Amino acid sequence: MLYQAGFLLVLGFLAVTAVINVRANMQARGIPMDFSFWDNTAGFDINQALVPYSALSTYGQAFLVGLLNTLLVAAIGLVLTTIIGFAIGIARLSHNWIVARLAMIYVETLRNVPLLLQLLFWYNAVLKPLPGPRQSLSLPFSIYLNNRGLFIPAPVFASGAEWFALAFVFGLLAAFLFWLFAHKRQVQTGKRLPVGLVTTILIIGMPLAVFFLAWQPLSFSYPELKGFNFMGGWRLLPEFVTLLLGLSLYTAAFIAEIVRAGIEAVPAGQSEAAAALGLPRKLALRYVIVPQALRVIIPPLTSQYLNLIKNSSLAVFIGYPDLVQVFAGTVLNQTGAAVQIICITMAVYLVISLATSFAMNLFNRRMALVER
Amino acid sequence: MDEHEATLVQDAKTAIEIRALNKWYGTFHVLRDIDLKVANRERIVICGPSGSGKSTLIRCINRLETHQQGQIIVDGIELTEDLKRIDEVRREVGMVFQHFNLFPHLTILENCTLAPIHVRKIPKAEAEAIAKHYLAKVKIPEQADKYPGQLSGGQQQRVAIARALCMSPKIMLFDEPTSALDPEMVQEVLETMVALAKDGMTMLCVTHEMGFARQVADRVIFMDRGEIVEINRPESFFANPQHERTKLFLSRLL
Amino acid sequence: MTGESFARQAIFVRNKDANVLPPPVSTRGFVATIRQNLFASAASSLMTIAAFALVAAVLPALLRFLIFDAVWSAPDGELCRATRAGACWAFIARKLPYFTYGSYPLDQRWRVDVMFGLSFVLIAWLLWLGAPARRLAAILFFLIYPILGFVLLHGAPSLGLPIVDTDLWGGIFVSLIVAITGIVISLPLGILLAMGRRSPLPLLAIFSTGFIEFVRGVPMITVLFMANFMLPLFVPENLAPDRLLRPVIGVALFASAYMAEVVRGGLQAIPKGQMEGAEALGLRPWQTMQLIILPQALTHVIPGIVNTFIGLFKDTTLVAAVGIFDFLRTVDSARLDPAWAGPAISATGYAFAAIFYFLFCFGISRYSLFVERRLARKRRR
């Protein structure tokens, strides 16, 4: 009790001194102490904004733009890194010696080189030196790569588009329900229904039918070279591509190790028991190995997801307008309201981290083993 | 000649035939020149010191281990690299492991119905009925909805036996089924195995439980350093071992 | 066939031991290994071919860039701008002092060299398992070395060492200072936080847990910004912390939260019986911690600590965000030198930096694996 009281006293004393000093210093240096800057005009442009934004928007709106950019790169990055990470983790365990070795080289190289160096490499040594729009690298599906960005076809929605979208969603839903039904039926009666065929028909056929019936309300705007630039399509900033690529590849190296450790953690006896029962390798993986591996994989996987989200803040080094670059960078420089801005930024990341941890913990709990 | 031997004679089809089997781990010659014929409904106990290759031998029978030379023919199907044949053999051969190897993320019932549903394509309701039948046979029907982590070692091993039986195998292999159990639980598992034997199952059992061998075995095989040293009927085997090494082994054991 | 004869047929007694033979030729040796590992199945063979194609496409170009077409010595960027030129190692050679010392005055660089030497000796002493008097090394490392180091590098006019402002520090030496100081501060702090988190006193536990979870939930850059912009506000004007000190404190605070989790893992691995045994012997809680629990926990967590150090060393690259010229930043700024400008310069600079970081981090992690294995052997007995 005494110790706690003492500790509280010391902490309180430090806190009070700190606050007094901070206020005095802030006043002395003319640093704003409130949030009034929020509604002031920003006066600067942002080259990637998911919501309408211009130099006449407020700092508050700039904050929103930065936040959305962070969430965008984080969301797509998480999906990409999971796919790449799992693929390389499984490759690490391959019986094929050369595939396993290549995967190991990937993992060891990317894990031991700082992320910032990798980002700078992709940005300065790969993307920036690309030729201009007139000599773009053409990729299949009308995708072009040059030093002004990655240009991809963009969907254009005409008047009947809602029906098309609805049909697509409906097709997806119906396919999913059918898949569930077929699985259940197979377990109950042992008979298999042609799941692959039916789901394909539903997902592609339904929207296609509506598409033609509604006189093709969906078209694609293809990037085309007009003069010195591309018109049409979507332009993905080189900064965005760099950050996405760099983050995904880097985190995938760590995820690969986690996946490998997870699968290796499943005792060999489990594979043997499944094999002894006559389960073919694919079914053994699906029903016995992977569910058990996921238990070991999920906690460290959550850590890596959080790392990816936090590492997106390295955008400030390559000029991608994420939350840190826009808000804790430009806005902070212009307004000088360091304390408020940094606190808000940290709070935002804390909320995102907590939300992600919470979601992953729910998933983890569903997978927990029941013990005595 | 008792009833069991009579059926052995009538039913004299070979369940397992092993000819000139040789296996190496790298350069280590772990199984040397094994020749063995196991008849239908026969019960065989394999014993021997550790490192003698007994576990390796029975694991070769359901291809958990591969052999480099010789032939293994199970229920008329020869074991080669052909995956289809291997799966066929594994459907007819059940195995019980020393460390049970139950699937911890599935309930007892699900453990037992997994293979019948996905391998034999038996409808779920029927598979569950079969599972409950065998769980009753191993005397733990009430545990069906529990998870393996909630059961004792002896109960888990009995579930493992039931799980193997749910696939209606023609042959059962036992790899030291009681070695990982606490002494008070060994008996319940042995009783289950005896009951299984009495039902006429072809069994190959690697074990140190000599009482079980005496009670149930048709033949006892002694293996040492990768080769079969002696085979005999249990009475003769224990009372009158012929080979020097057999005598040495038994003297250490008893 | 009667039952008797069946049984008699099945009886067998070995009269001659089977030969111990070497494995058959087709299953061993080079050809077999290749077959099993690379061409075991159709899918595997396809993958092998694809992999070889990939290596064939990438490796020659890489080797040509790094070695065969590289320019190894040149006075300026002229040769490096030639069309078929590869990596411009001449550039690296010329800029190496800058990459190592930053803008530290030329005649005072011996002080940095002394620091490097001292650091190496102390760390080797601490990490070498068989070394004598490691406790002495620990005291030296955590208490005397920082002060000595600071005096040596920054300067003490009374000792005849002119002051060298931290603005001039840069390169590998700054990266190492940030990383090593980070470790020196974060390890004791991390231990305190870990113990605080496990403390039965609720206030202490809440505070420790809160601090740890807060630091682990925010990006390192925001911590650096906070240290850079907010630390000067916490103290009166005249005590304003130095430009280099601020991010160092930020890095140390950040690392201490991760270190706390590593130590906590180690403490959790100690069986409860240890505390009970110590209590039974009459040791007081603090003595128990010091003499029995912590030494064991720390041995358990050496790999975790080393991993945190590697992560820390990689994270030092972020101090460039607050204007510190760490190693990566010196490379990044050197490549803009107009005398050396050329198409291969950026790639050369980054390749050099990557090789350096890779050797350093990979080397340390291999050593840590080695230590882990040695410790595991000791424990297994």
Side-chain angles (χ1 to χ4, degrees):
Chain A
M1 201 63 245
L2 202 61
Y3 288 127
Q4 290 201 79
F7 181 70
L8 202 58
L9 226 72
V10 170
L11 212 63
F13 175 71
L14 283 174
V16 168
T17 332
V19 170
I20 295 179
N21 273 330
V22 170
R23 291 193 76 91
N25 279 322
M26 281 174 87
Q27 249 172 347
R29 298 177 205 196
I31 295 174
M33 289 201 277
D34 56 13
F35 291 92
S36 59
F37 69 88
W38 198 261
D39 293 316
N40 292 345
T41 313
F44 63 93
D45 248 321
I46 303 178
N47 55 3
Q48 176 177 301
L50 291 177
V51 290
Y53 176 86
S54 75
L56 296 172
S57 310
T58 63
Y59 286 126
Q61 285 167 311
F63 167 82
L64 186 62
V65 172
L67 178 60
L68 287 175
N69 282 339
T70 293
L71 291 175
L72 178 71
V73 82
I76 304 181
L78 285 178
V79 171
L80 270 182
T81 197
T82 308
I83 297 173
I84 302 175
F86 271 78
I88 299 193
I90 293 176
R92 273 283 252 143
L93 293 168
S94 170
H95 290 299
N96 186 317
W97 184 88
I98 201 175
V99 168
R101 279 292 162 283
L102 284 180
M104 186 200 76
I105 292 177
Y106 176 95
V107 168
E108 288 305 325
T109 312
L110 292 207
R111 286 202 316 172
N112 286 305
V113 174
L115 175 59
L116 181 56
L117 175 49
Q118 295 182 37
L119 287 177
L120 289 175
F121 170 76
W122 289 118
Y123 191 58
N124 289 319
V126 175
L127 284 180
K128 277 241 208 86
L130 282 174
R134 292 183 138 201
Q135 292 98 18
S136 305
L137 282 155
S138 325
L139 299 166
F141 305 117
S142 286
I143 298 179
Y144 297 94
L145 186 61
N146 57 55
N147 63 5
R148 302 213 52 217
L150 184 70
F151 293 87
I152 61 176
V156 172
F157 296 99
S159 62
E162 317 86 67
W163 295 109
F164 175 79
L166 258 164
F168 183 64
V169 170
F170 188 70
L172 265 178
L173 211 67
F176 181 63
L177 286 173
F178 179 77
W179 179 74
L180 280 178
F181 169 73
H183 184 75
K184 209 159 188 237
R185 195 141 181 278
Q186 195 233 322
V187 164
Q188 310 269 46
T189 68
K191 291 207 200 77
R192 302 196 111 131
L193 295 165
V195 179
L197 190 64
V198 175
T199 49
T200 317
I201 292 178
L202 282 172
I203 292 181
I204 295 186
M206 277 205 76
L208 218 60
V210 173
F211 183 73
F212 284 109
L213 283 175
W215 279 285
Q216 309 177 332
L218 175 71
S219 59
F220 278 95
S221 147
Y222 293 97
E224 273 165 63
L225 186 56
K226 296 223 163 78
F228 288 101
N229 258 320
F230 276 92
M231 294 297 170
W234 270 336
R235 172 179 170 228
L236 300 177
L237 289 178
E239 290 80 13
F240 176 72
V241 175
T242 307
L243 195 57
L244 194 60
L245 191 70
L247 275 178
S248 305
L249 291 177
Y250 179 75
T251 317
F254 291 86
I255 292 183
E257 279 304 280
I258 292 172
V259 167
R260 181 183 71 97
I263 295 183
E264 282 184 347
V266 180
Q270 294 291 304
S271 305
E272 290 181 354
L277 284 169
L279 279 166
R281 185 69 186 155
K282 278 208 174 60
L283 290 181
L285 277 173
R286 181 171 163 197
Y287 290 106
V288 177
I289 309 288
V290 171
Q292 294 187 59
L294 275 180
R295 269 182 192 87
V296 181
I297 289 175
I298 289 175
L301 186 68
T302 309
S303 263
Q304 288 307 320
Y305 282 168
L306 293 178
N307 279 345
L308 185 136
I309 295 173
K310 289 185 288 174
N311 280 335
S312 69
S313 60
L314 265 68
V316 75
F317 288 100
I318 55 170
Y320 174 72
D322 82 318
L323 181 64
V324 172
Q325 202 269 353
V326 166
F327 196 57
T330 316
V331 175
L332 191 153
N333 278 329
Q334 288 191 353
T335 63
V339 178
Q340 301 91 310
I341 289 181
I342 293 179
C343 286
I344 295 176
T345 311
M346 286 180 151
V348 168
Y349 276 103
L350 270 176
V351 167
I352 300 178
S353 295
L354 283 173
T356 312
S357 291
F358 183 71
M360 294 299 286
N361 274 334
L362 279 181
F363 187 40
N364 197 23
R365 216 173 298 162
R366 275 201 65 207
M367 301 242 141
L369 285 174
V370 182
E371 309 257 305
R372 338 175 77 180
Chain B
M1 168 165 85
D2 71 4
E3 195 185 293
H4 174 69
E5 284 181 32
T7 53
L8 270 185
V9 172
Q10 285 169 338
D11 219 353
K13 254 187 2 182
T14 321
I16 304 175
E17 189 172 343
I18 302 179
R19 293 191 207 141
L21 182 70
N22 277 286
K23 177 177 167 62
W24 287 265
Y25 277 139
T27 49
F28 176 55
H29 197 173
V30 61
L31 288 176
R32 300 191 258 160
D33 228 20
I34 307 280
D35 280 290
L36 182 62
K37 269 209 190 112
V38 177
N40 264 337
R41 302 178 143 245
E42 204 182 349
R43 288 106 57 164
I44 305 230
V45 166
I46 308 180
C47 64
S50 63
S52 55
K54 13 186 238 298
S55 286
T56 313
L57 177 60
I58 64 167
R59 285 158 65 90
C60 282
I61 295 175
N62 66 355
R63 199 76 178 176
L64 286 182
E65 305 274 358
T66 56
H67 58 276
Q68 283 85 19
Q69 257 180 19
Q71 288 174 303
I72 303 181
I73 302 169
V74 177
D75 199 31
I77 309 168
E78 185 181 344
L79 274 178
T80 60
E81 280 165 16
D82 188 345
L83 283 174
K84 276 220 184 77
R85 294 233 196 120
I86 296 177
D87 280 343
E88 264 181 78
V89 165
R90 285 177 175 166
R91 267 177 251 148
E92 306 306 329
V93 176
M95 186 156 189
V96 176
F97 299 85
Q98 183 177 350
H99 295 288
F100 335 136
N101 288 339
L102 291 181
F103 305 135
H105 59 296
L106 300 175
T107 63
I108 302 299
L109 196 65
E110 286 166 348
N111 261 277
C112 294
T113 56
L114 182 71
I117 291 177
H118 294 281
V119 179
R120 289 211 191 273
K121 311 261 197 292
I122 297 174
K124 184 168 170 188
E126 200 185 313
E128 284 185 355
I130 297 176
K132 288 190 179 142
H133 166 76
Y134 283 113
L135 285 174
K137 271 209 141 177
V138 300
K139 304 219 179 69
I140 39 173
E142 71 283 357
Q143 309 285 2
D145 291 316
K146 296 232 180 102
Y147 285 87
Q150 295 172 293
L151 268 53
S152 74
Q155 290 172 319
Q156 288 189 49
Q157 193 64 300
R158 286 188 276 154
V159 170
I161 296 175
R163 176 177 71 172
L165 290 174
C166 284
M167 285 291 281
S168 311
K170 300 208 181 93
I171 303 168
M172 283 285 278
L173 303 174
F174 292 84
D175 188 359
E176 305 213 30
T178 56
S179 299
L181 293 174
D182 289 335
E184 64 270 17
M185 295 195 250
V186 169
Q187 207 46 44
E188 66 196 48
V189 174
L190 289 179
E191 280 169 11
T192 312
M193 289 165 69
V194 169
L196 191 61
K198 291 219 162 78
D199 280 341
M201 174 67 75
T202 316
M203 292 165 68
L204 254 88
C205 191
V206 172
T207 184
H208 299 297
E209 296 290 330
M210 295 308 157
F212 173 77
R214 268 193 245 256
Q215 196 182 351
V216 143
D218 291 314
R219 286 190 281 164
V220 180
I221 297 179
F222 173 64
M223 275 184 75
D224 186 27
R225 280 186 260 149
E227 51 187 359
I228 295 184
V229 174
E230 188 167 338
I231 309 179
N232 212 333
R233 311 188 61 175
E235 314 85 64
S236 323
F237 184 85
F238 291 111
N240 203 6
Q242 303 280 314
H243 199 284
E244 277 312 305
R245 289 195 263 162
T246 322
K247 290 183 194 162
L248 190 60
F249 174 71
L250 286 175
S251 69
R252 286 217 189 102
L253 204 61
L254 303 166
Chain C
M1 180 161 75
T2 67
E4 300 250 346
S5 64
F6 178 83
R8 207 184 302 126
Q9 280 229 335
I11 291 172
F12 169 79
V13 178
R14 181 169 286 280
N15 44 24
K16 191 182 76 130
D17 280 353
N19 294 324
V20 177
L21 297 168
V25 183
S26 64
T27 65
R28 69 180 155 137
F30 187 61
V31 179
T33 326
I34 295 264
R35 206 158 55 86
Q36 279 163 357
N37 284 328
L38 295 180
F39 296 103
S41 68
S44 185
S45 310
L46 268 171
M47 285 198 286
T48 304
I49 294 174
F52 267 116
L54 183 69
V55 173
V58 168
L59 198 58
L62 198 64
L63 285 176
R64 256 183 283 131
F65 179 80
L66 289 176
I67 303 179
F68 300 117
D69 288 342
V71 177
W72 294 89
S73 97
D76 63 20
E78 194 69 47
L79 281 170
C80 295
R81 282 190 273 269
T83 7
R84 307 223 74 225
C88 195
W89 299 123
F91 162 70
I92 303 289
R94 182 57 68 95
K95 299 279 183 181
L96 201 54
Y98 178 56
F99 295 157
T100 318
Y101 302 100
S103 309
Y104 209 87
L106 278 159
D107 54 342
Q108 301 295 320
R109 287 189 180 176
W110 61 270
R111 287 153 64 173
V112 181
D113 293 332
V114 169
M115 263 308 285
F116 274 145
L118 206 64
S119 315
F120 182 71
V121 164
L122 267 180
I123 292 177
W125 186 1
L126 260 182
L127 290 182
W128 178 30
L129 292 175
R134 281 170 77 208
R135 259 175 133 226
L136 178 63
I139 298 177
L140 280 177
F141 187 68
F142 286 101
L143 293 175
I144 310 216
Y145 165 77
I147 307 175
L148 189 70
F150 179 73
V151 166
L152 191 62
L153 289 170
H154 186 81
S158 47
L159 290 173
L161 295 169
I163 301 259
V164 178
D165 205 37
T166 51
D167 283 346
L168 297 172
W169 300 11
I172 296 179
F173 125 75
V174 160
S175 292
L176 281 175
I177 292 218
V178 173
I180 294 178
T181 316
I183 283 280
V184 166
I185 299 180
S186 68
L187 193 49
L189 202 57
I191 294 176
L192 284 175
L193 280 170
M195 292 189 341
R197 187 169 187 168
R198 280 160 53 97
S199 160
L201 303 174
L203 205 62
L204 208 55
I206 292 176
F207 176 76
S208 305
T209 313
F211 179 86
I212 294 174
E213 292 306 319
F214 173 81
V215 170
R216 282 174 16 127
V218 295
M220 163 101 116
I221 286 195
T222 53
V223 173
L224 287 176
F225 278 3
M226 183 176 80
N228 199 44
F229 291 110
M230 287 167 62
L231 268 183
L233 299 175
F234 283 124
V235 292
E237 194 81 37
N238 49 355
L239 279 182
D242 170 89
R243 267 190 78 214
L244 181 59
L245 191 60
R246 285 179 248 162
V248 167
I249 292 180
V251 166
L253 283 179
F254 192 76
S256 63
Y258 286 86
M259 200 64 89
E261 287 299 274
V262 170
V263 173
R264 185 168 78 108
L267 287 174
Q268 276 177 336
I270 308 282
K272 240 178 165 211
Q274 297 288 311
M275 279 293 295
E276 293 172 356
E279 240 184 283
L281 283 172
L283 288 171
R284 315 214 55 220
W286 190 245
Q287 285 174 307
T288 315
M289 261 299 154
Q290 202 184 344
L291 295 171
I292 299 190
I293 306 290
L294 276 182
Q296 285 188 63
L298 288 177
T299 327
H300 268 277
V301 303
I302 283 180
I305 293 180
V306 172
N307 276 332
T308 311
F309 178 70
I310 294 178
L312 193 62
F313 189 67
K314 291 190 296 173
D315 284 342
T316 59
T317 52
L318 268 62
V319 298
V322 289
I324 304 292
F325 271 75
D326 77 303
F327 172 62
L328 182 57
R329 172 69 124 180
T330 55
V331 171
D332 202 32
S333 70
R335 72 186 177 96
L336 298 170
D337 184 345
W340 289 92
I345 288 295
S346 297
T348 307
Y350 292 138
F352 172 67
I355 292 173
F356 173 81
Y357 278 110
F358 180 80
L359 289 176
F360 192 90
C361 297
F362 189 70
I364 293 187
S365 72
R366 284 290 126 169
Y367 177 75
S368 139
L369 268 176
F370 164 74
V371 167
E372 244 182 297
R373 252 179 260 142
R374 286 276 302 275
L375 286 176
R377 247 189 286 148
K378 259 206 246 171
R379 255 184 269 134
R380 233 187 294 132
R381 282 172 163 269

